Amino acid sequence: MNALRAALLLCSLGAATSAVAQGSPSLRGDLLSLAGCLRDSGASPSACIGTVAIACVGAASNNPRGAEAACARREEAAWRERLTLALQVTGRSLDAGQRSRLAAVQLAWESYVSQKCALYGASQREELQAGRQAGCELREVAERAIELAKGLSQAGRQPQSPPQIIR
């Protein structure tokens, strides 16, 4: 993959999700909920995974099992927005070759998550498949967004001592 294609991929991902956030009041609210949870969670951002989906399923008291997939996808959209922003910010500090590698890693990761969660969903009872697959995708996207955000916050820090080589 050349650098131009990688840059276009990263830009198109950002433009698409930003447009969704601007047009969706529920996504804006979900982003605010996640931001509040992440602010309050301190060093445990993973504790915020599922907060929007769980509240959404709880609000669907007439059919919670049927709401699982839609609620997981709703929260995944908010995490995906955060993931896209983290990718954009990360890409800004990289040269063309590194951006290309970042885009290749991200494409490989997307393929891995798709296959992993499809396999997991297919291994469930039929009535649980859609919800479990969507939940798997939610967790994976959230964990990737957290991982990239953590890398961004550590990017400016210098190690306290140089790495030691053990022989």
Side-chain angles (χ1 to χ4, degrees), residues 30-56:
D30 294 346
L31 285 166
L32 288 172
S33 293
L34 277 182
C37 182
L38 290 166
R39 181 187 62 245
D40 296 342
S41 71
S44 302
S46 295
C48 295
I49 299 172
T51 56
V52 171
I54 290 168
C56 175

PDB file of all heavy atoms in Angstrom, residues 30-56:
ATOM      1  N   ASP A  30     -23.901   9.864  23.272  1.00  0.00           N
ATOM      2  CA  ASP A  30     -23.092   8.699  23.644  1.00  0.00           C
ATOM      3  C   ASP A  30     -21.622   9.076  23.779  1.00  0.00           C
ATOM      4  O   ASP A  30     -20.929   8.601  24.687  1.00  0.00           O
ATOM      5  CB  ASP A  30     -23.262   7.574  22.623  1.00  0.00           C
ATOM      6  CG  ASP A  30     -24.670   7.003  22.604  1.00  0.00           C
ATOM      7  OD1 ASP A  30     -25.447   7.280  23.544  1.00  0.00           O
ATOM      8  OD2 ASP A  30     -24.998   6.289  21.633  1.00  0.00           O
ATOM      9  N   LEU A  31     -21.142   9.945  22.890  1.00  0.00           N
ATOM     10  CA  LEU A  31     -19.758  10.415  22.993  1.00  0.00           C
ATOM     11  C   LEU A  31     -19.533  11.185  24.288  1.00  0.00           C
ATOM     12  O   LEU A  31     -18.497  11.030  24.939  1.00  0.00           O
ATOM     13  CB  LEU A  31     -19.399  11.285  21.782  1.00  0.00           C
ATOM     14  CG  LEU A  31     -19.154  10.518  20.481  1.00  0.00           C
ATOM     15  CD1 LEU A  31     -19.148  11.470  19.288  1.00  0.00           C
ATOM     16  CD2 LEU A  31     -17.854   9.735  20.556  1.00  0.00           C
ATOM     17  N   LEU A  32     -20.509  12.007  24.668  1.00  0.00           N
ATOM     18  CA  LEU A  32     -20.405  12.744  25.928  1.00  0.00           C
ATOM     19  C   LEU A  32     -20.415  11.796  27.122  1.00  0.00           C
ATOM     20  O   LEU A  32     -19.659  11.976  28.082  1.00  0.00           O
ATOM     21  CB  LEU A  32     -21.537  13.758  26.050  1.00  0.00           C
ATOM     22  CG  LEU A  32     -21.433  14.985  25.136  1.00  0.00           C
ATOM     23  CD1 LEU A  32     -22.709  15.825  25.205  1.00  0.00           C
ATOM     24  CD2 LEU A  32     -20.218  15.816  25.513  1.00  0.00           C
ATOM     25  N   SER A  33     -21.267  10.775  27.073  1.00  0.00           N
ATOM     26  CA  SER A  33     -21.307   9.782  28.154  1.00  0.00           C
ATOM     27  C   SER A  33     -19.977   9.061  28.293  1.00  0.00           C
ATOM     28  O   SER A  33     -19.461   8.872  29.405  1.00  0.00           O
ATOM     29  CB  SER A  33     -22.409   8.755  27.901  1.00  0.00           C
ATOM     30  OG  SER A  33     -23.664   9.341  27.978  1.00  0.00           O
ATOM     31  N   LEU A  34     -19.416   8.652  27.143  1.00  0.00           N
ATOM     32  CA  LEU A  34     -18.118   7.972  27.183  1.00  0.00           C
ATOM     33  C   LEU A  34     -17.032   8.897  27.705  1.00  0.00           C
ATOM     34  O   LEU A  34     -16.203   8.481  28.522  1.00  0.00           O
ATOM     35  CB  LEU A  34     -17.727   7.483  25.787  1.00  0.00           C
ATOM     36  CG  LEU A  34     -18.302   6.159  25.331  1.00  0.00           C
ATOM     37  CD1 LEU A  34     -17.779   5.808  23.946  1.00  0.00           C
ATOM     38  CD2 LEU A  34     -18.006   5.054  26.309  1.00  0.00           C
ATOM     39  N   ALA A  35     -17.033  10.146  27.254  1.00  0.00           N
ATOM     40  CA  ALA A  35     -16.019  11.100  27.706  1.00  0.00           C
ATOM     41  C   ALA A  35     -16.100  11.285  29.218  1.00  0.00           C
ATOM     42  O   ALA A  35     -15.069  11.320  29.901  1.00  0.00           O
ATOM     43  CB  ALA A  35     -16.184  12.435  26.988  1.00  0.00           C
ATOM     44  N   GLY A  36     -17.297  11.389  29.745  1.00  0.00           N
ATOM     45  CA  GLY A  36     -17.465  11.525  31.188  1.00  0.00           C
ATOM     46  C   GLY A  36     -16.971  10.301  31.927  1.00  0.00           C
ATOM     47  O   GLY A  36     -16.283  10.406  32.949  1.00  0.00           O
ATOM     48  N   CYS A  37     -17.326   9.134  31.425  1.00  0.00           N
ATOM     49  CA  CYS A  37     -16.879   7.893  32.059  1.00  0.00           C
ATOM     50  C   CYS A  37     -15.360   7.784  32.008  1.00  0.00           C
ATOM     51  O   CYS A  37     -14.722   7.446  33.013  1.00  0.00           O
ATOM     52  CB  CYS A  37     -17.523   6.689  31.368  1.00  0.00           C
ATOM     53  SG  CYS A  37     -17.063   5.113  32.122  1.00  0.00           S
ATOM     54  N   LEU A  38     -14.768   8.087  30.859  1.00  0.00           N
ATOM     55  CA  LEU A  38     -13.317   8.000  30.722  1.00  0.00           C
ATOM     56  C   LEU A  38     -12.613   8.996  31.641  1.00  0.00           C
ATOM     57  O   LEU A  38     -11.578   8.679  32.225  1.00  0.00           O
ATOM     58  CB  LEU A  38     -12.911   8.220  29.265  1.00  0.00           C
ATOM     59  CG  LEU A  38     -13.302   7.081  28.323  1.00  0.00           C
ATOM     60  CD1 LEU A  38     -13.169   7.511  26.872  1.00  0.00           C
ATOM     61  CD2 LEU A  38     -12.483   5.832  28.603  1.00  0.00           C
ATOM     62  N   ARG A  39     -13.170  10.170  31.781  1.00  0.00           N
ATOM     63  CA  ARG A  39     -12.598  11.180  32.678  1.00  0.00           C
ATOM     64  C   ARG A  39     -12.635  10.670  34.126  1.00  0.00           C
ATOM     65  O   ARG A  39     -11.672  10.798  34.872  1.00  0.00           O
ATOM     66  CB  ARG A  39     -13.369  12.493  32.554  1.00  0.00           C
ATOM     67  CG  ARG A  39     -12.845  13.629  33.434  1.00  0.00           C
ATOM     68  CD  ARG A  39     -13.735  14.856  33.399  1.00  0.00           C
ATOM     69  NE  ARG A  39     -15.063  14.534  33.913  1.00  0.00           N
ATOM     70  CZ  ARG A  39     -16.196  14.558  33.200  1.00  0.00           C
ATOM     71  NH1 ARG A  39     -16.178  14.913  31.940  1.00  0.00           N
ATOM     72  NH2 ARG A  39     -17.353  14.239  33.745  1.00  0.00           N
ATOM     73  N   ASP A  40     -13.751  10.064  34.509  1.00  0.00           N
ATOM     74  CA  ASP A  40     -13.932   9.586  35.879  1.00  0.00           C
ATOM     75  C   ASP A  40     -13.219   8.264  36.161  1.00  0.00           C
ATOM     76  O   ASP A  40     -12.987   7.932  37.318  1.00  0.00           O
ATOM     77  CB  ASP A  40     -15.421   9.425  36.196  1.00  0.00           C
ATOM     78  CG  ASP A  40     -16.176  10.746  36.149  1.00  0.00           C
ATOM     79  OD1 ASP A  40     -15.523  11.818  36.215  1.00  0.00           O
ATOM     80  OD2 ASP A  40     -17.418  10.711  36.029  1.00  0.00           O
ATOM     81  N   SER A  41     -12.886   7.510  35.117  1.00  0.00           N
ATOM     82  CA  SER A  41     -12.311   6.175  35.316  1.00  0.00           C
ATOM     83  C   SER A  41     -10.829   6.205  35.652  1.00  0.00           C
ATOM     84  O   SER A  41     -10.283   5.186  36.084  1.00  0.00           O
ATOM     85  CB  SER A  41     -12.530   5.314  34.078  1.00  0.00           C
ATOM     86  OG  SER A  41     -11.703   5.759  33.012  1.00  0.00           O
ATOM     87  N   GLY A  42     -10.180   7.328  35.445  1.00  0.00           N
ATOM     88  CA  GLY A  42      -8.754   7.430  35.753  1.00  0.00           C
ATOM     89  C   GLY A  42      -7.932   6.474  34.922  1.00  0.00           C
ATOM     90  O   GLY A  42      -7.948   6.523  33.707  1.00  0.00           O
ATOM     91  N   ALA A  43      -7.229   5.589  35.595  1.00  0.00           N
ATOM     92  CA  ALA A  43      -6.325   4.655  34.922  1.00  0.00           C
ATOM     93  C   ALA A  43      -7.037   3.389  34.448  1.00  0.00           C
ATOM     94  O   ALA A  43      -6.378   2.458  34.005  1.00  0.00           O
ATOM     95  CB  ALA A  43      -5.182   4.294  35.845  1.00  0.00           C
ATOM     96  N   SER A  44      -8.355   3.335  34.546  1.00  0.00           N
ATOM     97  CA  SER A  44      -9.101   2.137  34.146  1.00  0.00           C
ATOM     98  C   SER A  44     -10.114   2.440  33.050  1.00  0.00           C
ATOM     99  O   SER A  44     -11.312   2.243  33.242  1.00  0.00           O
ATOM    100  CB  SER A  44      -9.824   1.556  35.353  1.00  0.00           C
ATOM    101  OG  SER A  44      -8.930   1.252  36.379  1.00  0.00           O
ATOM    102  N   PRO A  45      -9.671   2.891  31.877  1.00  0.00           N
ATOM    103  CA  PRO A  45     -10.626   3.236  30.826  1.00  0.00           C
ATOM    104  C   PRO A  45     -11.449   2.039  30.340  1.00  0.00           C
ATOM    105  O   PRO A  45     -12.583   2.209  29.886  1.00  0.00           O
ATOM    106  CB  PRO A  45      -9.764   3.814  29.709  1.00  0.00           C
ATOM    107  CG  PRO A  45      -8.400   3.270  29.948  1.00  0.00           C
ATOM    108  CD  PRO A  45      -8.296   3.094  31.439  1.00  0.00           C
ATOM    109  N   SER A  46     -10.929   0.831  30.491  1.00  0.00           N
ATOM    110  CA  SER A  46     -11.677  -0.356  30.062  1.00  0.00           C
ATOM    111  C   SER A  46     -12.973  -0.536  30.842  1.00  0.00           C
ATOM    112  O   SER A  46     -13.894  -1.205  30.377  1.00  0.00           O
ATOM    113  CB  SER A  46     -10.816  -1.613  30.192  1.00  0.00           C
ATOM    114  OG  SER A  46      -9.725  -1.535  29.304  1.00  0.00           O
ATOM    115  N   ALA A  47     -13.042   0.071  32.032  1.00  0.00           N
ATOM    116  CA  ALA A  47     -14.265  -0.017  32.829  1.00  0.00           C
ATOM    117  C   ALA A  47     -15.434   0.676  32.141  1.00  0.00           C
ATOM    118  O   ALA A  47     -16.588   0.430  32.486  1.00  0.00           O
ATOM    119  CB  ALA A  47     -14.037   0.596  34.204  1.00  0.00           C
ATOM    120  N   CYS A  48     -15.153   1.531  31.167  1.00  0.00           N
ATOM    121  CA  CYS A  48     -16.209   2.259  30.463  1.00  0.00           C
ATOM    122  C   CYS A  48     -16.809   1.463  29.308  1.00  0.00           C
ATOM    123  O   CYS A  48     -17.846   1.844  28.759  1.00  0.00           O
ATOM    124  CB  CYS A  48     -15.670   3.592  29.939  1.00  0.00           C
ATOM    125  SG  CYS A  48     -15.189   4.707  31.276  1.00  0.00           S
ATOM    126  N   ILE A  49     -16.176   0.370  28.926  1.00  0.00           N
ATOM    127  CA  ILE A  49     -16.689  -0.432  27.815  1.00  0.00           C
ATOM    128  C   ILE A  49     -18.017  -1.056  28.235  1.00  0.00           C
ATOM    129  O   ILE A  49     -18.097  -1.761  29.233  1.00  0.00           O
ATOM    130  CB  ILE A  49     -15.689  -1.529  27.399  1.00  0.00           C
ATOM    131  CG1 ILE A  49     -14.380  -0.896  26.945  1.00  0.00           C
ATOM    132  CG2 ILE A  49     -16.282  -2.398  26.296  1.00  0.00           C
ATOM    133  CD1 ILE A  49     -13.255  -1.887  26.697  1.00  0.00           C
ATOM    134  N   GLY A  50     -19.050  -0.758  27.478  1.00  0.00           N
ATOM    135  CA  GLY A  50     -20.376  -1.310  27.740  1.00  0.00           C
ATOM    136  C   GLY A  50     -21.323  -0.352  28.431  1.00  0.00           C
ATOM    137  O   GLY A  50     -22.513  -0.654  28.543  1.00  0.00           O
ATOM    138  N   THR A  51     -20.852   0.784  28.888  1.00  0.00           N
ATOM    139  CA  THR A  51     -21.728   1.677  29.650  1.00  0.00           C
ATOM    140  C   THR A  51     -22.929   2.151  28.834  1.00  0.00           C
ATOM    141  O   THR A  51     -24.047   2.154  29.344  1.00  0.00           O
ATOM    142  CB  THR A  51     -20.961   2.892  30.205  1.00  0.00           C
ATOM    143  OG1 THR A  51     -20.318   3.578  29.133  1.00  0.00           O
ATOM    144  CG2 THR A  51     -19.926   2.476  31.217  1.00  0.00           C
ATOM    145  N   VAL A  52     -22.715   2.536  27.608  1.00  0.00           N
ATOM    146  CA  VAL A  52     -23.815   3.007  26.760  1.00  0.00           C
ATOM    147  C   VAL A  52     -24.716   1.832  26.389  1.00  0.00           C
ATOM    148  O   VAL A  52     -25.946   1.924  26.473  1.00  0.00           O
ATOM    149  CB  VAL A  52     -23.281   3.714  25.497  1.00  0.00           C
ATOM    150  CG1 VAL A  52     -24.407   4.014  24.515  1.00  0.00           C
ATOM    151  CG2 VAL A  52     -22.550   4.997  25.880  1.00  0.00           C
ATOM    152  N   ALA A  53     -24.124   0.716  25.997  1.00  0.00           N
ATOM    153  CA  ALA A  53     -24.909  -0.445  25.575  1.00  0.00           C
ATOM    154  C   ALA A  53     -25.760  -1.009  26.710  1.00  0.00           C
ATOM    155  O   ALA A  53     -26.924  -1.362  26.509  1.00  0.00           O
ATOM    156  CB  ALA A  53     -23.988  -1.528  25.014  1.00  0.00           C
ATOM    157  N   ILE A  54     -25.202  -1.070  27.900  1.00  0.00           N
ATOM    158  CA  ILE A  54     -25.947  -1.614  29.039  1.00  0.00           C
ATOM    159  C   ILE A  54     -27.143  -0.722  29.366  1.00  0.00           C
ATOM    160  O   ILE A  54     -28.252  -1.220  29.594  1.00  0.00           O
ATOM    161  CB  ILE A  54     -25.025  -1.800  30.256  1.00  0.00           C
ATOM    162  CG1 ILE A  54     -24.043  -2.943  29.979  1.00  0.00           C
ATOM    163  CG2 ILE A  54     -25.821  -2.059  31.532  1.00  0.00           C
ATOM    164  CD1 ILE A  54     -22.901  -3.044  30.961  1.00  0.00           C
ATOM    165  N   ALA A  55     -26.940   0.586  29.364  1.00  0.00           N
ATOM    166  CA  ALA A  55     -28.054   1.508  29.618  1.00  0.00           C
ATOM    167  C   ALA A  55     -29.101   1.395  28.518  1.00  0.00           C
ATOM    168  O   ALA A  55     -30.309   1.423  28.791  1.00  0.00           O
ATOM    169  CB  ALA A  55     -27.538   2.937  29.718  1.00  0.00           C
ATOM    170  N   CYS A  56     -28.655   1.238  27.284  1.00  0.00           N
ATOM    171  CA  CYS A  56     -29.565   1.109  26.140  1.00  0.00           C
ATOM    172  C   CYS A  56     -30.414  -0.169  26.262  1.00  0.00           C
ATOM    173  O   CYS A  56     -31.630  -0.127  26.073  1.00  0.00           O
ATOM    174  CB  CYS A  56     -28.741   1.095  24.860  1.00  0.00           C
ATOM    175  SG  CYS A  56     -29.653   0.793  23.334  1.00  0.00           S
TER     176      CYS A  56
END
